[in-house]
Amino acid sequence: MFAGEGPESSGFAELDDISAAAYGLAVECGRFVREKIAEELSLTPAEITRVEQVLRGVRLLQSMPGHPSELTPVTPDVAAASLVAPAERHIRELQQAVTDVRAKLLSLTPLYFEGRRLRNRLEAFDIITDVTRIQAMLNHLSQNCKSELLTVQPGGARPAELLEEARESALSTLARGVRIRTIYQHTARNDLPTRSYVRDVTVQGAEIRTADEVIDRLIIYDREVAFLPERSARDSAPGAAIVREPTLVAFLCSVFEYLWDGASPYVVESQRSPASSDELKWSIIRLMTKGYKDEMVARRLGMSVRTCRRHIAEITEELEATSRFQAGYNAARLEMLSGGPAASSLS
């Protein structure tokens, strides 16, 4: 290696210009004559000693058999072969070791992808049955929600104590600039605690709508994490399914948007009671014509069976019907089933 090429990076001795010139003189003489070369190159004893060490180090000088003190020059190709052979052998061994390691690691590729598949399935869904843990996670996600909170709340009016907790959480979330959209069922419109809650949160920017029927409870945080109620055959208290898989969360967001587009804005000051709500009556009649029993109608619309039966009695009386079938028939004649202008005939 010549001067300036960085011998430290290779581990080989440095072949400088003076050493190269000394090698040339040795080739001319056929031997490395210290005194002559030192005189020709004007080298001190220390310098000629250093040159000799360099040339021996790069294998350009070798001792004559039987005369170890006499040095003869060696052709560069022989010197190179002698000098780099161990390094080349080491490189080949390293290359083989690299090839072996790569082959062994790549043999684990199917195992990796199978593990990822199982891991993705586990990460996509997380079933939690501990109510305390569920609430803790809901609180954590609400506190860390950054942009949007989407909620579907089925079942009509919620307990007043739950609404109070929800009010505090919603107001705190809204204060951080998070958009909140919630869908209730029409039956929640006449509940005083719910009306109070809706009034407080809508003033701060929340958007509330109602629909006759909705899917199960659904909460989506920042379009990244969704909570669904657990459905199982166990008799224990229901848990929650946490969904993080992007495709599934995006689908649930689409479901919410579909429900949102078909829902009616919840404007507290203009609401009428369910007993005089055409939307609620239409919903009851539509389910009645499908053959649903009172219990099913009540559950689908988020009201008690007693309240549902009272509405059915009012509808039957207003339609001058003596049976469910006749009520449905009369409603069809009034264009109730198509949502036509006759819908107002019930109010």
Side-chain angles (χ1 to χ4, degrees):
M1 176 173 286
F2 289 88
E5 294 184 354
E8 299 80 8
S9 61
S10 66
F12 297 135
E14 179 180 5
L15 182 61
D16 55 89
D17 293 338
I18 295 177
S19 299
Y23 172 72
L25 293 174
V27 172
E28 291 179 12
C29 297
R31 290 186 305 122
F32 185 81
V33 182
R34 294 169 56 92
E35 295 78 6
K36 183 178 180 180
I37 294 175
E39 181 181 353
E40 289 283 341
L41 298 178
S42 300
L43 301 178
T44 64
E47 289 174 333
I48 193 63
T49 299
R50 183 192 68 81
V51 167
E52 179 183 337
Q53 291 175 345
V54 169
L55 294 177
R56 290 171 67 98
V58 294
R59 307 294 197 273
L60 287 172
L61 293 179
Q62 66 178 10
S63 300
M64 293 183 63
H67 302 279
S69 61
E70 296 187 18
L71 301 175
T72 58
V74 178
T75 59
D77 58 338
V78 173
S82 174
L83 183 64
V84 303
E88 289 179 333
R89 182 171 60 253
H90 184 57
I91 290 173
R92 288 194 297 270
E93 292 173 352
L94 285 176
Q95 289 177 332
Q96 184 60 48
V98 169
T99 300
D100 293 343
V101 170
R102 179 178 286 111
K104 290 178 181 178
L105 292 179
L106 290 179
S107 69
L108 299 177
T109 300
L111 183 63
Y112 169 82
F113 283 110
E114 175 63 16
R116 280 296 308 178
R117 186 184 67 81
L118 296 175
R119 175 179 159 191
N120 288 340
R121 187 180 67 183
L122 293 175
E123 290 182 345
F125 297 95
D126 190 8
I127 305 298
I128 301 178
T129 56
D130 183 1
V131 177
T132 302
R133 185 182 172 198
I134 293 173
Q135 190 58 52
M137 293 193 67
L138 290 172
N139 293 340
H140 172 75
L141 289 171
S142 296
Q143 293 167 4
N144 291 275
C145 189
K146 297 180 179 62
S147 60
E148 187 177 41
L149 174 59
L150 309 177
T151 307
V152 177
Q153 293 285 1
R158 300 167 67 192
E161 61 273 14
L162 293 182
L163 282 174
E164 186 58 35
E165 296 178 6
R167 177 186 284 103
E168 295 180 6
S169 177
L171 293 177
S172 174
T173 302
L174 289 166
R176 300 198 308 271
V178 177
R179 184 187 184 189
I180 293 181
R181 287 189 289 164
T182 302
I183 302 175
Y184 287 108
Q185 289 187 265
H186 290 325
T187 48
R189 289 175 176 259
N190 198 46
D191 179 66
L192 291 180
T194 301
R195 290 165 66 87
S196 174
Y197 166 80
V198 172
R199 181 183 296 106
D200 291 344
V201 298
T202 52
V203 167
Q204 299 302 320
E207 302 170 70
I208 313 293
R209 293 187 181 185
T210 64
D212 55 353
E213 291 185 76
V214 296
I215 58 176
D216 272 331
R217 188 183 186 195
L218 170 64
I219 307 175
I220 306 175
Y221 296 93
D222 292 330
R223 296 181 178 264
E224 295 178 351
V225 182
F227 272 73
L228 296 171
E230 179 195 13
R231 289 288 176 262
S232 67
R234 301 194 305 267
D235 295 331
S236 58
I242 304 175
V243 182
R244 300 183 182 88
E245 204 286 318
T247 302
L248 295 177
V249 174
F251 172 77
L252 293 173
C253 290
S254 298
V255 171
F256 178 90
E257 297 295 349
Y258 176 81
L259 294 173
W260 182 261
D261 291 341
S264 304
Y266 192 149
V267 183
V268 176
E269 289 73 13
S270 65
Q271 303 309 313
R272 296 179 295 170
S273 68
S276 60
S277 169
D278 294 336
E279 290 180 333
L280 181 58
K281 291 180 179 180
W282 151 244
S283 300
I284 293 175
I285 292 174
R286 180 171 56 82
L287 293 176
M288 287 171 55
T289 58
K290 291 183 178 180
Y292 290 137
K293 300 296 184 181
D294 296 351
E295 292 78 5
M296 179 60 71
V297 173
R299 185 164 66 86
R300 294 283 293 268
L301 298 180
M303 64 177 69
S304 67
V305 177
R306 181 177 179 180
T307 300
C308 179
R309 286 172 176 165
R310 186 179 73 249
H311 290 318
I312 292 175
E314 292 176 356
I315 293 170
T316 302
E317 181 179 355
E318 291 173 8
L319 290 174
E320 299 180 353
T322 58
S323 66
R324 289 170 174 267
F325 177 80
Q326 187 178 8
Y329 176 77
N330 292 349
R333 292 181 59 189
L334 292 172
E335 300 179 6
M336 278 290 297
L337 294 179
S338 61
S344 60
S345 301
L346 286 178
S347 55

